[in-house]
Each structure stands twice: as C-alpha cells, then as structure tokens.
Amino acid sequence: MRPQYSHSGRGVLAMANSGPDSNKSQFYITYRSCKHLDGKHTIFGKRSGGRWTLLNALERIGTDNKDVPVEEMKIEKVAVFVNPFQEAQDELKAEREAELAKASEELKKMPKPAEKERKVFSSGVGKYINPAVKKEARKAAEDQPSGSASKKVKPNSYALSDFSAW
C-alpha cells in the first residue's frame, strides 16, 4: 500500500477483505472521504471525469438493516485510462538501475587485491612446483628408516576390508 493513494474524495475504488482464511472480498466505491480506511484496504483507482451520474445513482439506492442494497447494482462497462502495471514496472526499473549504479560505484571504490606473479617451472600438472623442493623431499624420504624391514603385522582374519586372498 502506497501513501500516495488514499481514501480522499468521492469515487475511490477499493477492495476490503472479508476476514482471514475466508477467500472472500468486497469491492466498494466511496461517496465521500474515508481517511480511517487508509492503510487497511487496497485502493485500485479513482473515478475520473466530470460526469458523476453513475455515482449519484448508486448513492440514491437504499439499503436494508444489514447495509445491503435493496436493489441489485451492476457496473457493466468500465474504461482504464492509466495502466498501473506500467507505472509500477517503470518505478521498479528505476529502483533497480539506481541500486546497480550504487553497487558499481562501491565496487570501484574497493581496492583490488594484488596478485603476485607465479613462476612456472615446467608444463602440465605440477608446473608451479619448484624442482629443487622436489629433490629435497625425495632426499628426506630416503634418509628416514623404512618400516618395511620390521616385523610384518598379520591382518585380522575377521576383517572384511581386505579381499586380496580370494
């Protein structure tokens, strides 16, 4: 609900909900200002033009004690002068463009992280690994005593993880 729309003056077309979970609604046209309804019900539009004969005729029809018209009222033809969806789409587009402009300005203000140049030692997989480091790792692995010469551990016969004996 937008604050620019209000129940001010004659001929405001709006809709009231008949209660929670009722899936019912009723449309109404105001005969005078009804500021107490602002923010409670959805306003669709306002009667335009200089001829108020229809609204005057509707106003003259009486109601019973339950505030229901004694005669059936039907509006058979209406004309829409302004497309409200186009207005809403234009506003939304302007808001999105403003947000994008703001985001791009903030992005320009942020410092870019400096990327250091990586040295390539070879081609393919592992091209960034220094060969000197590879040699040092091999030497360290060879200098350590290997545990393969020690006593061999017999695998548990009840374990199902090793099927190599099959």
Side-chain angles (χ1 to χ4, degrees), residues 10-158:
R10 282 174 63 93
V12 174
L13 173 65
M15 180 190 77
N17 166 327
S18 294
D21 300 324
S22 67
N23 201 18
K24 295 180 182 177
S25 57
Q26 56 191 34
F27 293 85
Y28 61 91
I29 300 172
T30 60
Y31 298 127
R32 59 182 165 80
S33 293
C34 300
K35 294 286 187 178
H36 64 283
L37 297 176
D38 288 347
K40 293 182 182 178
H41 303 299
T42 304
I43 298 172
F44 289 100
K46 188 171 184 174
R47 166 81 169 88
S48 63
R51 300 181 68 198
W52 294 91
T53 54
L54 172 70
L55 199 57
N56 291 336
L58 291 174
E59 192 172 12
R60 276 189 244 117
I61 296 175
T63 59
D64 62 11
N65 60 356
K66 294 182 181 178
D67 206 25
V68 177
V70 292
E71 297 177 33
E72 184 177 342
M73 294 187 270
K74 287 186 181 180
I75 299 174
E76 295 178 354
K77 186 177 178 182
V78 297
V80 177
F81 292 110
V82 177
N83 182 355
F85 295 108
Q86 186 61 42
E87 180 184 340
Q89 288 173 346
D90 293 342
E91 288 178 9
L92 185 61
K93 184 179 178 182
E95 288 175 9
R96 287 180 178 165
E97 288 174 353
E99 287 179 17
L100 282 173
K102 182 179 176 184
S104 66
E105 288 296 321
E106 289 177 3
L107 191 59
K108 288 178 184 177
K109 291 178 183 177
M110 291 177 59
K112 293 182 181 178
E115 293 184 24
K116 64 178 185 176
E117 187 76 22
R118 289 185 179 184
K119 187 173 181 183
V120 179
F121 295 101
S122 65
S123 63
V125 177
K127 65 183 180 180
Y128 299 111
I129 299 175
N130 189 346
V133 174
K134 286 184 193 177
K135 287 180 185 178
E136 289 176 15
R138 278 194 216 120
K139 285 182 184 178
E142 290 173 1
D143 292 344
Q144 290 180 355
S146 94
S148 61
S150 65
K151 185 177 175 184
K152 201 172 191 181
V153 178
K154 182 180 178 185
N156 293 338
S157 60
Y158 57 85

